[in-house]
Amino acid sequence: TKTYLGVIAGASSVFFYSWNEGATNDTALSSRNMPGVVENFRSLLGELKALNPVLASPNLAESPAIEPAVPRGFFACAKQGAGGRSYLFIASDLFKPATKTLVYPAAAGKTAALLRGPLLPGASSSLTFDAEGQAKLTLPPQGAGVYLLESMP
């Protein structure tokens, strides 16, 4: 989620670092004792590699808005990839599941399918924008998703 929050904020690059966890193998925070964290990291790197051409493009001038707007909550941006395809990057910094309204007039009458991100219980696997460009979106705690914007059939 923090990586996608950086992308949404306009980061032009992302880097990761590791640190010496000490000589002990039983440290609660040691990645050696948390193989799930390592697998999540590998998965994220795969997502970033697949999205590299899109990530390298600047955020579009018109950004999706989130309603209700609160100091904390959901953050979003739109990027354009090859062939004029539009991508919506959305992330939540909340510690509980939440549903908000995504407002993006450029998406009026279109759908957006989840391309990358965890499909967790209650998370939106697709978005359907009404004529005003509004869609309901649910994300899990600290959730993030990349949606590919498509035209309605």
Side-chain angles (χ1 to χ4, degrees):
T1 299
K2 301 302 181 196
T3 300
Y4 283 116
L5 286 170
V7 168
I8 291 166
S12 59
S13 63
V14 177
F15 73 94
F16 300 95
Y17 62 91
S18 63
W19 62 93
N20 183 344
E21 296 166 335
T24 180
N25 286 336
D26 61 357
T27 297
L29 298 176
S30 173
S31 60
R32 291 180 290 259
N33 296 327
M34 297 184 288
V37 171
V38 174
E39 284 308 310
N40 286 342
F41 184 69
R42 284 187 180 134
S43 176
L44 174 62
L45 290 177
E47 285 182 23
L48 294 175
K49 183 177 180 181
L51 290 168
N52 190 47
V54 178
L55 294 171
S57 68
N59 291 355
L60 294 176
E62 184 181 0
S63 234
I66 307 294
E67 292 181 356
V70 293
R72 288 184 55 120
F74 286 15
F75 301 87
C77 76
K79 290 181 172 284
Q80 191 164 16
R85 296 166 73 179
S86 295
Y87 298 81
L88 303 175
F89 288 75
I90 306 166
S92 169
D93 70 352
L94 299 174
F95 292 101
K96 61 182 179 179
T99 300
K100 304 256 185 189
T101 300
L102 186 64
V103 181
Y104 191 46
K110 297 180 180 179
T111 60
L114 182 65
L115 181 66
R116 301 274 180 212
L119 184 51
L120 300 174
S124 299
S125 60
S126 66
L127 306 172
T128 302
F129 291 89
D130 64 19
E132 288 79 40
Q134 297 185 15
K136 290 288 185 192
L137 170 70
T138 301
L139 284 177
Q142 300 281 298
V146 179
Y147 292 83
L148 175 60
L149 197 59
E150 304 166 337
S151 296
M152 292 288 270

